[in-house]
């Protein structure tokens, strides 16, 4: 039998509008985001995104506990700064992991799994209302057992100005008689 270190788990990461897991399958909508516009014009810049993670499990990686971390990093020139995703650390965690999303998991071995098989373990992490400190480039990094598996990079853009004829959202954005001013009936 090959040593455990020969078997290497992998994971793929997608930044998307929405993701969920149902029936052991990953359902993704609006995947591959690279440019994001904030829903708010001021700091913290709020975005609504989801992470879709597809863990790929080999036979040697089953029936053992693994640690997955998800980190969000802001890139300013050559400097990188971790953006906190979590306030607390699980008990016994490394203080260097502060601000990361951390999950411990065990992938159970299936009787149908044969050597060479690679099974998937889908995960969805919604981050609606996530506050970002600055405009510019970011990336999410997913690691399993300390090894980076994948990254998803994006750039946060300023909130686009309203287009002519649009009614702004929020207080004072009233509709008169079921019609938008100058627009068709609703």
């Amino acid at each position: 039998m090959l040593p455990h270190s020969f078997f290497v788990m992998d994971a793929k990461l997608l930044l998307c509008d929405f993701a969920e897991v149902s029936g052991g399958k990953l359902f993704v909508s609006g995947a591959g985001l690279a440019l994001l516009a904030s829903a708010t014009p001021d700091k913290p810049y709020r975005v609504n995104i989801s992470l879709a993670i597809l863990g790929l499990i080999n036979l040697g990686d089953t029936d053992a506990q693994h640690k997955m971390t998800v980190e969000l990093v802001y890139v300013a020139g050559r400097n990188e700064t971790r953006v906190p995703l979590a306030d607390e650390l699980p008990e016994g965690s490394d203080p260097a992991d502060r601000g990361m999303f951390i999950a411990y998991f065990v992938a159970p071995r299936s009787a149908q799994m044969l050597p060479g098989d690679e099974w998937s373990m889908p995960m969805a992490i919604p981050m609606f209302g996530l506050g970002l400190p600055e405009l510019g480039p970011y990336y999410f990094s997913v690691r399993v057992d300390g090894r980076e598996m994948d990254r998803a990079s994006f750039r946060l853009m300023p909130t686009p100005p309203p287009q002519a004829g649009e009614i702004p959202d929020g207080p004072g954005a009233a509709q008169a008689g079921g019609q938008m001013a100058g627009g068709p009936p609703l």
Side-chain angles (χ1 to χ4, degrees):
M1 181 161 185
L2 296 170
H4 179 75
S5 61
F6 174 82
F7 298 97
V8 178
M9 185 181 313
D10 198 7
K12 301 300 178 199
L13 174 65
L14 285 173
L15 183 61
C16 53
D17 289 327
F18 181 76
E20 73 177 339
V21 175
S22 179
K25 295 182 255 179
L26 182 61
F27 292 86
V28 177
S29 178
L33 298 177
L35 294 175
L36 297 178
S38 173
T40 54
D42 300 313
K43 296 178 185 183
Y45 300 104
R46 301 281 176 199
V47 295
N48 296 321
I49 56 174
S50 292
L51 295 180
I53 303 171
L54 187 61
L56 303 171
I57 312 296
N58 292 299
L59 185 64
D61 294 318
T62 60
D63 293 339
Q65 181 171 300
H66 300 279
K67 176 184 174 185
M68 181 184 77
T69 60
V70 176
E71 179 180 31
L72 174 58
V73 175
Y74 171 67
V75 181
R78 294 181 185 210
N79 296 322
E80 296 187 349
T81 305
R82 181 179 298 158
V83 177
L85 295 174
D87 294 332
E88 298 179 18
L89 286 171
E91 190 173 318
S93 292
D94 184 344
D97 291 342
R98 184 162 305 285
M100 286 194 245
F101 173 78
I102 301 169
Y104 293 93
F105 66 93
V106 174
R109 182 170 296 170
S110 169
Q112 291 82 25
M113 194 171 199
L114 300 173
D117 281 352
E118 185 175 71
W119 287 35
S120 63
M121 188 174 87
M123 294 165 263
I125 303 172
M127 296 187 186
F128 303 127
L130 176 64
L132 300 175
E134 301 292 337
L135 298 173
Y138 291 82
Y139 66 85
F140 282 98
S141 171
V142 62
R143 288 182 174 82
V144 176
D145 298 331
R147 184 168 82 64
E148 186 174 56
M149 300 291 165
D150 202 6
R151 283 186 180 186
S153 298
F154 67 95
R155 187 162 37 106
L156 181 63
M157 307 290 295
T159 303
Q163 300 295 317
E166 285 186 2
I167 294 179
D169 293 333
Q175 296 179 7
Q179 290 184 309
M180 295 187 329
L186 296 178

